[in-house]
């Protein structure tokens, strides 16, 4: 969280307890990742006991390192909740196919909990011996935990992949039922809901997953649809489905008299997430967050000036609202509709919108103390200090400014050369977080950081350090002058291309985004082509596990304007049919970049590419569809390419109709 944590440590604890209880009280566990979810829930219950004891101790001022630890745990538990909800509410079959990725995600969460607990000063907290022992045990176990992938899920996943590859009339219905039952698909409504979730997944994956991922999800939709017709007698079930749909429609569309005390004073609608502001009045979080974010610093109801902008959850009223919803047959999911979009709006305002002088002074004292440990401490103390700064700089522009003013940047730059993997990783990540504040970009470059950052990118001691170095280069290259300075370093662009080949999905995306920024400067385009980026980017377009379709297309579209880039792109035989398919299945951004590439390849003597487009039966329908339904930019370029192809076609035979 931001600097207001120091002002509202009680609020932080209250939020932690509430969040942890929400996660722990999930009524129906997902049908996938059962063991990982169960063990994570046990860990969170142990942590909840710690949070409750700290709260009960009524300590007015917690040690700064404990606040940082609690803040990081809040961030981790919030992401755990999101992942669990994704497993529970998303497509079960797609989750089954992604079982290894999801298992790794839970493993990462446990490691992040362990690292947060590294800086928890248990000896300075007022907790019982029993809780202290439980936390120490949890810490030890979390540090040595190994990745767990459920062998039963792997086996079921393999059967599902076999079914997807089979002809529809060749698979055994009982096998399909067994696989679908294992992930909770048992009724007609379950099957229909699963198809709807898979269709949503297609839209989510269009810009990242690539054609193979989208194709696999479409195969799943086809399999579920066919299995539904085989497993169930649709005629006998149809009326039941209609009756269920009708009754749900009636209950959700009915009009209720909402009690005044449950209405937000701003919107006059039912409060989905009531919060208390400094004046003591309660509002719906989305409404009051919007009020504050538009520059209002008074209570809308009383006109009183708010001494701080913390939004304290009103759990008692929220419970009453939920109880009223249940009594009136209003589904809780309706009561909290649009929660995802509202959450994004609200997160900027939750508990740390405004930093008062007290909060800023607290952060300043903490930053100066931690920077002192960086300057004078042992290797172990420096490692811990770098981690604390990494967390402190994670959110809040005030925090980032104050840390820089405390003199942290030169020490962090020096620590990039550390032989200790964790110290190096923490230092580069802290610099990445600090660089989000624009003035810090100038200070980081002035400290001569680029050489050390590129060294970490090229040969960092952990993959996370290398990937965060790429992200730091992306952040620094947002300033035009720094595009030139970074590109001038002989190893910067080759190291980014290497990470594009070797990194995780996150690392590949960071490298691609950094290359995209750097390639806006013409001299860097030639260096990117010379480093071998073009064939690698095209290869990544065909890799369903890379997850950077739009980013790769964006870099290729930029390199197209460089003669050497155009020649390198023209050499790829698989690219043209791939781009045609992306015109149909890609995201809006992907379609724009695909048509940009096709048009560029056909211009200036690209007759061979034009001929390949004309003999592909999918190209003209795809272009005509884009010319009708695409974005203004895509429509313009699609029409230009159709005219070009028409001229090419009319020279030899009938023009395109």
């Amino acid at each position: 969280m931001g600097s207001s944590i120091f002002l509202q440590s009680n609020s932080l604890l209250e939020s932690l307890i509430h969040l942890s209880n929400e996660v722990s009280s999930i009524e129906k566990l997902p049908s996938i990742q059962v063991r990982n979810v169960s063990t994570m829930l046990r860990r969170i219950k142990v942590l909840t006991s710690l949070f409750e004891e700290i709260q009960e101790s009524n300590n007015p001022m917690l040690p700064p390192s404990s606040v940082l630890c609690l803040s990081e745990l809040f961030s981790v538990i919030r992401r755990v909740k999101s992942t669990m909800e994704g497993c529970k509410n998303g497509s079960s079959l797609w989750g089954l196919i992604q079982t290894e990725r999801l298992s790794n995600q839970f493993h990462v969460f446990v490691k992040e909990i362990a690292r947060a607990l590294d800086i928890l000063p248990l000896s300075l907290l007022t907790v019982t011996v029993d809780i202290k022992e439980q936390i120490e045990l949890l810490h030890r176990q979390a540090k040595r935990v190994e990745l767990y992938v459920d062998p039963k899920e792997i086996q079921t996943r393999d059967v599902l992949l076999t079914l997807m590859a089979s002809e529809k009339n060749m698979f055994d219905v009982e096998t399909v039922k067994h696989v679908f039952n294992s992930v909770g698909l048992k009724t007609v409504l379950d099957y229909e809901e699963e198809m709807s979730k898979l269709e949503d997944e297609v839209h989510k994956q269009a810009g990242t997953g690539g054609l193979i991922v989208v194709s696999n999800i479409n195969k799943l939709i086809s399999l579920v649809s066919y299995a539904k017709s085989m497993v169930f007698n649709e005629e006998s079930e149809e009326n039941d489905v209609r009756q269920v749909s009708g009754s749900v429609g009636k209950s959700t569309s009915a009009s209720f008299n909402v009690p005044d005390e449950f209405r937000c004073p701003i919107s006059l609608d039912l409060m989905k997430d009531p919060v208390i502001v400094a004046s003591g009045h309660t509002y719906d979080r989305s409404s009051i967050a919007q009020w504050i974010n538009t520059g209002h610093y008074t209570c809308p109801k009383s006109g009183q000036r708010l001494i701080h902008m913390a939004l304290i959850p009103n759990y008692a009223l929220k419970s009453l609202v939920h109880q009223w919803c249940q009594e009136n047959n209003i589904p809780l999911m309706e009561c909290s509709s649009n929660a995802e979009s509202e959450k994004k709006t609200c997160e900027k305002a939750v508990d740390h919108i405004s930093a008062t002088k007290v909060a800023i002074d607290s952060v300043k004292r903490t930053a100066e103390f931690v920077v002192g440990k960086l300057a004078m401490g042992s290797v172990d103390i420096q490692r811990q200090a770098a981690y604390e700064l990494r967390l402190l700089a994670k959110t809040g522009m005030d925090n980032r400014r104050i840390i820089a003013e405390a003199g942290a940047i030169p020490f962090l730059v020096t620590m990039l050369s550390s032989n200790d993997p964790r110290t190096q990783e923490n230092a580069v990540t802290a610099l990445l977080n600090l660089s989000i504040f624009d003035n810090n970009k100038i200070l980081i470059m002035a400290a001569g950081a680029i050489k050390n950052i590129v060294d970490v990118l090229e040969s960092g001691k952990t993959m996370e350090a290398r990937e965060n170095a790429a992200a730091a280069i992306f952040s620094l290259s947002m300033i035009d002058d720094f595009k030139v300075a970074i590109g001038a370093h002989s190893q910067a662009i080759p190291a980014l291309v290497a990470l594009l080949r070797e990194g995780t999905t996150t690392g590949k995306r960071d490298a691609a985004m950094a290359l995209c920024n750097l390639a806006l400067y013409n001299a860097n385009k030639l260096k990117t082509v010379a480093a071998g980026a073009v064939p690698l980017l095209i290869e990544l377009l065909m890799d369903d596990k890379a997850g950077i379709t739009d980013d790769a297309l964006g870099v290729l579209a930029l390199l197209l304007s460089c003669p050497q880039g155009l020649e390198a792109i023209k050499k790829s035989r698989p690219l043209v049919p791939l781009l045609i398919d992306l015109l149909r299945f890609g995201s809006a951004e992907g379609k724009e970049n695909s048509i940009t590439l096709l048009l560029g390849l056909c211009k200036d003597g690209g007759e061979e590419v034009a001929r390949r487009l004309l003999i592909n039966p999918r190209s003209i329908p795809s272009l005509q569809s884009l010319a009708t339904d695409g974005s203004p930019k895509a429509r313009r370029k699609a029409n230009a390419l159709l005219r070009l192809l028409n001229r090419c076609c009319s020279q030899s035979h009938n023009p395109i109709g």
Side-chain angles (χ1 to χ4, degrees):
M1 289 199 175
S3 54
S4 57
I5 287 172
F6 295 88
L7 183 65
Q8 294 291 339
S9 58
N10 286 336
S11 174
L12 171 61
L13 282 165
E14 189 174 349
S15 297
L16 262 171
I17 292 167
H18 179 66
L19 176 65
S20 301
N21 285 334
E22 277 187 336
V23 175
S24 301
S25 61
I26 293 177
E27 291 181 0
K28 184 182 176 184
L29 295 181
S31 51
I32 54 175
Q33 296 294 318
V34 175
R35 177 168 158 180
N36 282 325
V37 168
S38 300
T39 53
M40 181 59 74
L41 288 175
R42 286 199 294 272
R43 292 184 179 101
I44 289 174
K45 285 177 181 175
V46 173
L47 290 171
T48 306
S49 301
L50 171 69
F51 305 150
E52 289 172 345
E53 285 217 352
I54 295 174
Q55 187 184 50
E56 289 167 5
S57 70
N58 291 319
N59 188 342
M61 181 61 72
L62 295 175
S65 55
S66 67
V67 177
L68 288 172
C69 170
L70 295 175
S71 305
E72 181 66 4
L73 289 174
F74 183 88
S75 172
V76 175
I77 295 171
R78 186 166 56 186
R79 283 180 283 126
V80 167
K81 181 187 175 187
S82 175
T83 301
M84 285 185 180
E85 287 174 343
C87 292
K88 182 181 174 184
N89 301 325
S91 163
S92 300
L93 293 173
W94 184 244
L96 184 63
I97 287 178
Q98 298 287 304
T99 186
E100 288 170 324
R101 183 186 65 80
L102 287 170
S103 298
N104 186 64
Q105 212 165 339
F106 279 104
H107 184 246
V108 168
F109 290 149
V110 179
K111 289 299 183 186
E112 288 181 351
I113 288 172
R115 290 172 66 179
L117 292 175
D118 281 342
I119 62 168
L120 180 67
L122 265 177
S123 59
L124 301 180
L125 300 176
T126 309
V127 294
T128 61
V129 174
D130 181 48
I131 290 296
K132 183 179 178 183
E133 289 176 350
Q134 287 184 48
I135 295 299
E136 288 173 343
L137 177 61
L138 169 62
H139 188 197
R140 289 195 300 272
Q141 290 174 339
K143 289 182 82 166
R144 62 171 185 263
V145 73
E146 295 183 357
L147 174 66
Y148 175 77
V149 183
D150 190 334
K152 288 184 179 178
E153 285 194 8
I154 292 292
Q155 186 178 7
T156 308
R157 191 266 320 262
D158 291 344
V159 174
L160 177 60
L161 291 173
T162 303
L163 290 170
M164 289 167 60
S166 304
E167 294 293 330
K168 287 181 179 177
N169 58 350
M170 297 295 290
F171 57 67
D172 178 48
V173 175
E174 289 303 315
T175 304
V176 176
K177 285 176 67 176
H178 173 73
V179 171
F180 284 19
N181 279 341
S182 71
V183 293
L185 305 181
K186 298 176 181 177
T187 68
V188 174
L189 287 175
D190 290 339
Y191 280 53
E192 291 179 346
E193 196 174 303
E194 180 68 10
M195 284 190 285
S196 176
K197 290 175 180 177
L198 285 166
E199 286 166 359
D200 290 342
E201 195 64 43
V202 168
H203 295 300
K204 282 195 283 186
Q205 294 288 341
T208 55
L211 289 173
I212 296 176
V213 168
V214 173
S215 173
N216 283 338
I217 299 173
N218 283 325
K219 284 180 184 176
L220 272 176
I221 294 172
S222 177
L223 174 64
V224 176
S225 177
Y226 183 74
K228 175 185 157 217
S229 66
M230 295 293 293
V231 173
F232 300 99
N233 183 343
E234 287 191 295
E235 284 82 16
S236 65
E237 299 254 356
E238 200 171 71
N239 291 333
D240 293 339
V241 174
R242 284 205 194 99
Q243 288 170 9
V244 171
S245 302
S247 64
V248 170
K250 288 175 186 176
S251 66
T252 56
S253 62
S255 177
F256 294 95
N257 292 320
V258 179
D260 289 343
E261 60 269 27
F262 294 167
R263 292 181 185 272
C264 174
I266 297 174
S267 67
L268 300 181
D269 291 330
L270 180 68
M271 285 190 275
K272 304 174 183 73
D273 189 4
V275 293
I276 305 167
V277 297
S279 65
H281 292 288
T282 295
Y283 300 92
D284 192 43
R285 185 184 295 275
S286 60
S287 299
I288 192 64
Q290 187 175 359
W291 170 266
I292 293 170
N293 286 336
T294 52
H296 298 90
Y297 303 112
T298 57
C299 172
K301 197 168 183 179
S302 67
Q304 177 184 344
R305 184 167 185 81
L306 301 176
I307 59 172
H308 64 77
M309 302 298 151
L311 304 179
I312 311 300
N314 190 334
Y315 299 124
L317 182 57
K318 188 173 185 177
S319 176
L320 290 172
V321 170
H322 280 205
Q323 183 180 342
W324 181 83
C325 287
Q326 290 170 338
E327 289 171 354
N328 288 278
N329 294 321
I330 299 177
L332 292 180
M333 63 182 294
E334 181 184 329
C335 181
S336 59
S337 61
N338 298 324
E340 280 302 310
S341 60
E342 287 170 1
K343 187 193 297 182
K344 290 176 183 176
T345 304
C346 299
E347 276 181 351
K348 297 176 184 177
V350 178
D351 297 342
H352 51 81
I353 290 177
S354 173
T356 65
K357 186 177 185 303
V358 175
I360 291 174
D361 288 345
S362 298
V363 176
K364 187 175 180 181
R365 285 194 299 272
T366 301
E368 289 171 350
F369 175 67
V370 176
V371 170
K373 292 198 291 184
L374 274 186
M376 308 293 290
S378 64
V379 172
D380 289 340
I381 289 174
Q382 286 182 329
R383 183 193 308 116
Q384 178 178 326
Y387 182 63
E388 290 178 10
L389 287 177
R390 168 183 178 171
L391 296 185
L392 192 59
K394 200 169 183 179
T395 56
M397 289 301 183
D398 280 327
N399 290 8
R400 295 167 185 137
R401 174 182 58 79
I402 291 166
I403 292 169
E405 289 173 355
I409 288 174
F411 293 111
L412 290 169
V413 170
T414 301
M415 290 170 67
L416 293 175
S417 304
S418 171
N419 291 321
D420 179 71
R422 288 299 171 201
T423 301
Q424 184 188 71
E425 182 184 305
N426 290 332
V428 74
T429 310
L431 286 169
L432 163 62
N433 293 340
L434 289 170
S435 72
I436 297 170
F437 183 57
D438 280 347
N439 193 58
N440 286 350
K441 291 179 172 67
I442 298 168
L443 297 176
I444 290 169
M445 293 295 287
I450 195 60
K451 178 185 180 302
N452 289 13
I453 292 174
V454 171
D455 287 345
V456 175
L457 171 66
E458 188 176 23
S459 55
K461 300 188 181 303
T462 67
M463 182 56 73
E464 186 175 349
R466 292 180 63 194
E467 293 176 348
N468 287 342
I473 287 175
F474 166 70
S475 177
L476 294 169
S477 65
M478 298 294 286
I479 294 179
D480 287 341
D481 288 348
F482 296 164
K483 292 179 176 64
V484 181
I486 294 168
H489 191 289
S490 61
Q491 291 305 308
I493 289 175
L496 287 169
V497 173
L499 184 63
L500 203 58
R501 182 184 299 108
E502 300 161 6
T504 66
T505 296
T506 301
K508 291 179 193 295
R509 184 174 296 116
D510 288 333
M513 289 169 67
L515 286 170
C516 206
N517 255 5
L518 294 173
L520 291 170
Y521 177 59
N522 284 328
N524 290 338
K525 292 176 184 175
L526 180 58
K527 294 177 181 178
T528 305
V529 175
V534 170
L536 179 57
L537 288 164
I538 295 171
E539 184 182 320
L540 289 171
L541 287 178
M542 298 182 283
D543 183 354
D544 61 315
K545 295 180 180 177
I548 61 163
T549 303
D550 281 357
D551 299 303
L553 285 169
V555 180
L556 287 170
L558 282 170
L559 298 180
L560 189 69
S561 62
C562 160
Q564 294 85 349
L566 177 61
E567 285 306 310
I569 293 169
K570 276 184 176 178
K571 290 178 183 177
S572 172
R573 297 292 298 181
L575 181 61
V576 170
L578 193 63
L579 293 174
I580 294 169
D581 285 339
L582 284 166
L583 290 180
R584 299 166 64 206
F585 300 117
S587 67
E589 182 185 350
K591 289 175 182 178
E592 283 189 5
N593 283 325
S594 296
I595 190 65
T596 298
L597 284 162
L598 286 170
L599 184 59
L601 288 168
C602 288
K603 283 182 176 178
D604 302 325
E607 292 84 1
E608 182 193 348
V609 176
R611 283 194 297 271
R612 282 157 58 192
L613 273 174
L614 287 168
I615 62 174
N616 188 314
R618 299 191 301 277
S619 60
I620 302 304
S622 297
L623 287 168
Q624 289 172 334
S625 174
L626 193 62
T628 304
D629 302 322
S631 67
K633 180 180 177 182
R635 288 201 303 269
R636 187 175 68 253
K637 294 196 173 187
N639 281 315
L641 183 53
L642 282 168
R643 288 194 298 271
L644 190 153
L645 293 176
N646 201 26
R647 288 197 299 272
C648 179
C649 192
S650 62
Q651 291 172 4
S652 54
H653 51 76
N654 293 329
I656 299 165

